[in-house]
Amino acid sequence: MRTLLLTMERKGPAPNIISYNLVIAALVKSEQLHEAEQIYKKMSTALILPDRMTYNLMITGCLQRRQNEKERRTANRWMNRMVEANIIPDLRTFNNMILGLSKQVNYHHNIKSYEEMMTYANAAKNIYQVMTRMGHVPDTMTMNGLMKCYSLIGDEEGLNQIVSLMGIVTEDSFGSNDATTTNTNNKPHPKAGKKINMTIQPDLYTYNILIHHHLQKDQTIDAFKVYNLLSKNFDADAVTYGSFISYYIDKRDVPEALKYYDVMRRKKIMSSSVIYNILLNGYFKQPSHAEALFDRLRTMVVEDVHPDIATYNIRISHLELIKNITSETDINISHLTSIFEEMITKGHEADERTFNIIQDIDGKISPRSKNTKATIKSLLESMKDDIQPNLIRYATTIRNAAIQHDMLKAEYTFKSMVDDGIKPNIYVFAHLVWGYSQLGDLDKAEDVMNYMSESPFNIPPTAYIFAPLIEGYANAGEYEKAYSTFREMIDRGISADTTTYTILTNMFLNSSFDDSEINAIRVLEDLRVLKENDKEASNGLDQAALSVLIEAHGMAGAKSLFNINSHSDEISPLQEVSQCDYHIQSAQQVYNSIVASGAVPDPQAVTAMITALVKMQKLELAWEFWINITKPDSLIQITTYHYNALLTGFAHNKMWHPVAKHMFEEMLSESIFSDSLRLPTHYKHKRIVKPDIATFDLMLLSSALSFDEESIRRLWRHECRPKPTFEVSLEKGSSSSGAPLLIRSYYYSLTALINDNCIEEAQALYHEFCSLNTPADSASVWVKNINEMAMANSLASC
């Protein structure tokens, strides 16, 4: 279009005001504001005066962008230019401004920048007041823009005033409360209140805003009432049903969500990419309903509903991070690149969310995964020139720098952010506090907390800020300081969140305080009761807190067992047994509450449950639990950590040694023991689960305590046995990077080989042992025994 305009300027006919406005409109729509401003300047050169449409377009363009302080001032300048040109803003101008501001309110609500959100909402209110003072009568578009703002900021009074002004009456007597039924009776109920004369008629968008608002506040009955009102005047559209589908997907009630989708199809309402993306999100988050959701997604593709950029963003955001054998975080990089390439091939340009998601993944990948990091860096570089930095991009960069302990980069990024006119929110400061706390620079962390409270930021600290600071003191062993910081937070009137309580509980568990396990249980149980009684709070504790609670019960139960075995006189053995049983039942109840919530227990919760039962020496219950979580229909992802947690219990009990050997063979997917217990294996790994260093150590220990030297020899000879890696140094020559196995494991293996007269293998084992770096002092007894055995059997000296 710009080429056409250039041709008209050179060859004629000369472009007029309509020509220039069309080009500006196209550039504004594609968010090329700088180029639109250049066209505006050309109009002056061509002696064509901009009209109201020109200024409306430029103001709209400024307000629809993700604004920072500089761009906000630009919007104000265009308004001033309009007034200076003696063009009085009309209703359309004010409506464009209010709708643009409502988009900004929505954007800042989504990124949880609540102070900025309120700034834009108040600006919309002020624009409305100016408009009415100038004698303009608001219309439906005006009310919809304000309604959107009021809904997002939770201004119920302002929202109700608009509802009243538009004559929207939601009496209980209006129809059914089930929006999935077809309303065939369009007559109001006789008891319905008298309808006021409406000067501003609501439209479909008005009702959709109200339905979404009520659902966001869990007011389903009110949402159904609005739906019934909508049905009297309009046909519900995909947006209407999308609100209900999204609500029930978020509530983990997939069957109810699909009812709304199916009704929408029966009514022949055209679906959309938005509905597709809602179901796709549910597909990833609710694997137990994946098949039903996939059927609907496939149907939508057949019906020619095309994925959009949001679809690819969802797919990328749900790529599964994995742990490799060295416990480093990685990702299936080929899967990421294939999604990205498909996105580009289909003609979808990456947006700021794409950039932020991939940047977020980059921050979670271990620096040791160099090839993965390099690929992700190239993807980010390919997008960087086309995407303007925003709050999330800066916040993620600061967070990633903090994760890498590069606080100099975090500080530089923070300064660049402020220089670009982007105001940091509380999460940016939380990343900085967390970064300094992880480095142990707690004074600097406190300085950040004080700095954010002052001008020009004026952001009061919340639990997000105090939590990493408390954790920093706890990790440094300064438990008194951690607790006093917690008390300071409470004294300031700041409510502690679940994360803060979980940190405090972990502090109790890791400290040497008397009854630390019981204190930890009390803290989390009190919080759970508090959250369950708070109607505005989310449902109960999160899985991280519940996992810690399970761990605390396991530790408390183990302590009761220790008191029984040590013949403690403080409490009778009967009382101790009763307490141990209580902690077993409590741990099971906590785990069952996770399952009852509809969530799939995460790896930490599963590990906590197995470990708790093992610590309380309930191996039968632990095995029973294992059978349940490894059933074919189980959605739990079994990991090496889970095997090791159970093997820790089996290793110390000869009765369970055959089962331990079976589990080890299951991990290897091969038979290596001649006498292992052949149990039916019904668990098919959803991913490869391989034994790690800890697994081999545990199996060697189990075999040694069961006097099973044949199994020790087979374990030692296996090709998967961890072996030392050697590093070449110019100063020191070739040296090992450390012992892959415990020194104890070398002793058990050497004993088994010598007892079977395998002298050559024993010689090789001793040579490997001698190549290791200096073992820790705690292994001195094992080192002494190995050297004495080598000397007694004339093995070559180191």
Side-chain angles (χ1 to χ4, degrees):
M1 189 167 281
R2 276 181 291 178
T3 304
L4 181 60
L5 182 66
L6 186 62
T7 303
M8 291 174 68
E9 288 174 338
R10 289 178 177 175
K11 299 181 179 181
N16 57 21
I17 184 64
I18 297 175
S19 310
Y20 284 107
N21 283 344
L22 285 172
V23 175
I24 289 174
L27 293 171
V28 164
K29 188 172 183 179
S30 60
E31 295 194 4
Q32 300 180 60
L33 284 190
H34 178 71
E35 290 79 359
E37 188 162 356
Q38 297 306 310
I39 299 298
Y40 170 83
K41 291 177 180 177
K42 276 189 174 185
M43 293 172 68
S44 300
T45 306
L47 302 178
I48 294 177
L49 294 176
D51 62 5
R52 178 179 281 107
M53 177 62 73
T54 313
Y55 291 108
N56 281 346
L57 286 169
M58 295 306 300
I59 291 169
T60 301
C62 290
L63 290 174
Q64 76 181 9
R65 287 170 61 92
R66 303 294 184 254
Q67 282 198 335
N68 58 33
E69 187 62 35
K70 291 179 180 177
E71 288 173 332
R72 191 185 306 165
R73 289 196 294 267
T74 301
N76 290 336
R77 280 202 303 272
W78 282 109
M79 190 68 177
N80 291 334
R81 285 177 183 174
M82 184 177 184
V83 174
E84 289 168 2
N86 293 319
I87 298 175
I88 299 173
D90 60 2
L91 180 60
R92 182 174 182 176
T93 306
F94 285 109
N95 280 346
N96 286 342
M97 294 181 71
I98 290 173
L99 289 175
L101 290 167
S102 72
K103 289 180 181 179
Q104 296 300 325
V105 173
N106 185 59
Y107 171 71
H108 288 286
H109 177 271
N110 290 339
I111 66 172
K112 297 180 172 60
S113 184
Y114 297 119
E115 188 175 350
E116 292 291 283
M117 178 185 75
M118 292 303 300
T119 298
Y120 283 105
N122 289 329
K125 291 180 186 179
N126 293 335
I127 292 291
Y128 175 72
Q129 291 171 1
V130 172
M131 182 188 86
T132 53
R133 282 201 298 269
M134 291 181 66
H136 294 297
V137 178
D139 61 5
T140 305
M141 186 181 291
T142 317
M143 294 296 103
N144 287 344
L146 289 174
M147 186 179 287
K148 185 75 174 174
C149 290
Y150 292 150
S151 173
L152 290 166
I153 67 175
D155 186 349
E156 294 292 331
E157 183 181 352
L159 194 65
N160 289 334
Q161 286 177 356
I162 293 177
V163 167
S164 176
L165 185 62
M166 300 182 82
I168 301 173
V169 182
T170 55
E171 296 285 349
D172 288 343
S173 50
F174 277 113
S176 167
N177 281 337
D178 184 2
T180 62
T181 60
T182 305
N183 182 12
T184 58
N185 180 10
N186 289 324
K187 294 181 180 180
H189 194 279
K191 292 184 180 179
K194 185 180 179 181
K195 209 170 185 181
I196 64 171
N197 292 325
M198 291 188 290
T199 55
I200 305 175
Q201 293 286 343
D203 60 7
L204 181 59
Y205 184 54
T206 311
Y207 289 115
N208 283 338
I209 292 172
L210 279 175
I211 289 172
H212 182 76
H213 171 78
H214 288 308
L215 290 176
Q216 288 294 102
K217 297 178 73 64
D218 285 331
Q219 298 167 346
T220 53
I221 300 298
D222 288 331
F224 296 150
K225 293 175 187 175
V226 175
Y227 173 86
N228 289 329
L229 280 176
L230 179 155
S231 301
K232 296 177 186 301
N233 303 293
F234 303 97
D235 292 327
D237 63 359
V239 176
T240 314
Y241 281 92
S243 293
F244 287 103
I245 295 169
S246 178
Y247 173 77
Y248 285 109
I249 289 284
D250 289 343
K251 292 296 179 183
R252 298 181 176 275
D253 191 349
V254 174
E256 189 68 18
L258 294 182
K259 286 181 187 178
Y260 284 87
Y261 172 78
D262 293 340
V263 168
M264 185 182 78
R265 290 198 70 239
R266 284 200 300 272
K267 291 186 174 183
K268 301 188 182 306
I269 297 172
M270 289 296 294
S271 193
S272 66
S273 58
V274 174
I275 302 288
Y276 184 93
N277 292 336
I278 292 169
L279 295 184
L280 182 64
N281 218 11
Y283 173 81
F284 286 115
K285 290 184 176 180
Q286 301 292 314
S288 58
H289 298 284
E291 187 175 348
L293 287 162
F294 183 75
D295 286 343
R296 271 69 171 193
L297 291 169
R298 184 170 51 194
T299 301
M300 293 172 75
V301 172
V302 171
E303 293 176 349
D304 212 27
V305 174
H306 297 290
D308 58 9
I309 184 62
T311 310
Y312 291 97
N313 288 342
I314 291 169
R315 289 174 60 189
I316 294 171
S317 67
H318 284 94
L319 282 175
E320 193 170 1
L321 294 174
I322 60 175
K323 294 279 187 179
N324 60 28
I325 196 167
T326 58
S327 300
E328 300 290 353
T329 307
D330 209 336
I331 195 171
N332 187 338
I333 194 64
S334 62
H335 196 179
L336 172 61
T337 53
S338 67
I339 294 174
F340 192 84
E341 287 168 4
E342 179 190 333
M343 178 184 79
I344 300 301
T345 304
K346 296 287 186 180
H348 299 290
E349 291 187 5
D351 62 7
E352 63 181 36
R353 175 135 179 81
T354 317
F355 187 95
N356 293 334
I357 291 169
I358 295 178
Q359 189 181 35
D360 179 65
I361 292 172
D362 182 46
K364 295 173 182 175
I365 301 299
S366 166
R368 297 184 184 180
S369 304
K370 293 182 180 178
N371 291 336
T372 303
K373 297 284 279 187
T375 303
I376 292 177
K377 184 179 179 181
S378 68
L379 291 178
L380 293 172
E381 288 294 331
S382 70
M383 295 183 278
K384 190 173 287 185
D385 293 339
D386 300 322
I387 296 171
Q388 293 297 318
N390 62 4
L391 176 60
I392 295 177
R393 179 167 164 183
Y394 278 115
T396 307
T397 304
I398 291 169
R399 189 211 63 180
N400 291 353
I403 290 173
Q404 302 300 328
H405 305 303
D406 188 354
M407 293 311 293
L408 285 177
K409 181 179 179 181
E411 290 173 0
Y412 173 79
T413 305
F414 179 83
K415 184 178 182 302
S416 299
M417 176 184 186
V418 175
D419 289 345
D420 282 347
I422 298 176
K423 187 174 181 180
N425 64 4
I426 195 163
Y427 297 101
V428 171
F429 289 107
H431 295 327
L432 291 171
V433 172
W434 181 85
Y436 288 122
S437 297
Q438 291 297 302
L439 288 177
D441 194 347
L442 300 171
D443 290 339
K444 197 69 175 284
E446 287 215 29
D447 287 343
V448 172
M449 187 171 72
N450 295 328
Y451 177 60
M452 65 182 283
S453 306
E454 300 168 355
S455 180
F457 307 114
N458 301 315
I459 300 175
T462 66
Y464 290 114
I465 302 298
F466 275 95
L469 190 57
I470 294 169
E471 185 178 32
Y473 283 120
N475 291 341
E478 297 185 41
Y479 299 124
E480 294 296 337
K481 181 66 175 174
Y483 192 70
S484 67
T485 304
F486 173 76
R487 290 306 317 169
E488 179 190 346
M489 182 183 75
I490 300 300
D491 291 342
R492 288 194 186 192
I494 300 170
S495 298
D497 59 2
T498 302
T499 303
T500 313
Y501 277 105
T502 304
I503 291 168
L504 200 64
T505 305
N506 271 317
M507 184 187 78
F508 283 128
L509 294 180
N510 295 325
S511 70
S512 57
F513 296 155
D514 292 336
D515 296 325
S516 57
E517 302 88 358
I518 301 300
N519 286 332
I521 292 169
R522 284 173 181 162
V523 166
L524 285 179
E525 286 291 1
D526 288 347
L527 177 61
R528 182 155 68 157
V529 172
L530 188 67
K531 288 180 75 67
E532 287 173 353
N533 292 335
D534 185 357
K535 294 180 180 179
E536 295 184 0
S538 55
N539 297 328
L541 302 180
D542 59 18
Q543 282 208 48
L546 292 173
S547 299
V548 174
L549 185 54
I550 294 170
E551 181 186 355
H553 279 297
M555 293 174 68
K559 190 172 183 179
S560 296
L561 278 179
F562 175 79
N563 290 337
I564 294 171
N565 297 330
S566 61
H567 307 290
S568 173
D569 295 330
E570 294 180 9
I571 302 178
S572 70
L574 189 61
Q575 288 176 302
E576 291 288 3
V577 170
S578 177
Q579 285 186 7
C580 185
D581 289 342
Y582 162 75
H583 290 298
I584 292 169
Q585 293 171 8
S586 297
Q588 289 176 321
Q589 287 170 1
V590 173
Y591 182 86
N592 290 340
S593 72
I594 297 174
V595 177
S597 72
V600 176
D602 63 21
Q604 290 73 25
V606 174
T607 303
M609 190 65 221
I610 297 172
T611 303
L613 293 172
V614 164
K615 283 184 175 180
M616 292 184 281
Q617 298 179 22
K618 293 295 179 181
L619 299 183
E620 296 88 353
L621 289 177
W623 180 244
E624 212 175 284
F625 177 76
W626 182 263
I627 295 297
N628 277 328
I629 65 174
T630 56
K631 286 180 178 177
D633 59 348
S634 173
L635 298 172
I636 293 171
Q637 293 287 350
I638 301 300
T639 70
T640 305
Y641 295 109
H642 299 143
Y643 275 96
N644 290 347
L646 192 53
L647 288 173
T648 300
F650 291 167
H652 292 86
N653 190 309
K654 287 190 287 186
M655 302 240 346
W656 289 90
H657 177 56
V659 182
K661 291 199 288 186
H662 160 75
M663 292 182 67
F664 185 77
E665 287 180 330
E666 188 177 70
M667 296 178 79
L668 289 173
S669 299
E670 65 173 290
S671 177
I672 68 167
F673 302 115
S674 59
D675 59 344
S676 63
L677 184 64
R678 301 301 176 199
L679 295 174
T681 302
H682 51 68
Y683 177 69
K684 295 181 180 179
H685 297 304
K686 297 178 179 66
R687 70 166 69 146
I688 297 174
V689 180
K690 291 294 185 183
D692 61 6
I693 295 170
T695 316
F696 272 88
D697 276 322
L698 287 166
M699 287 305 303
L700 288 166
L701 174 63
S702 179
S703 301
L705 295 180
S706 299
F707 306 105
D708 183 2
E709 291 193 344
E710 175 59 27
S711 292
I712 293 176
R713 288 188 287 272
R714 289 177 182 241
L715 286 164
W716 178 260
R717 290 165 181 161
H718 198 275
E719 61 182 0
C720 288
R721 173 182 65 84
K723 300 173 181 64
T725 54
F726 294 93
E727 298 173 348
V728 178
S729 169
L730 293 176
E731 287 105 7
K732 299 181 181 179
S734 180
S735 64
S736 167
S737 62
L741 296 170
L742 294 173
I743 302 301
R744 177 189 69 193
S745 296
Y746 280 89
Y747 171 76
Y748 292 147
S749 302
L750 183 61
T751 301
L753 291 171
I754 289 175
N755 288 345
D756 199 43
N757 203 29
C758 303
I759 301 303
E760 287 187 9
E761 288 181 278
Q763 179 72 60
L765 183 154
Y766 187 60
H767 178 74
E768 181 180 308
F769 165 76
C770 291
S771 71
L772 302 176
N773 287 341
T774 305
D777 292 340
S778 59
S780 58
V781 173
W782 300 108
V783 172
K784 179 183 176 185
N785 291 341
I786 290 172
N787 286 328
E788 288 178 352
M789 195 181 301
M791 188 176 296
N793 290 275
S794 302
L795 302 181
S797 60
C798 297

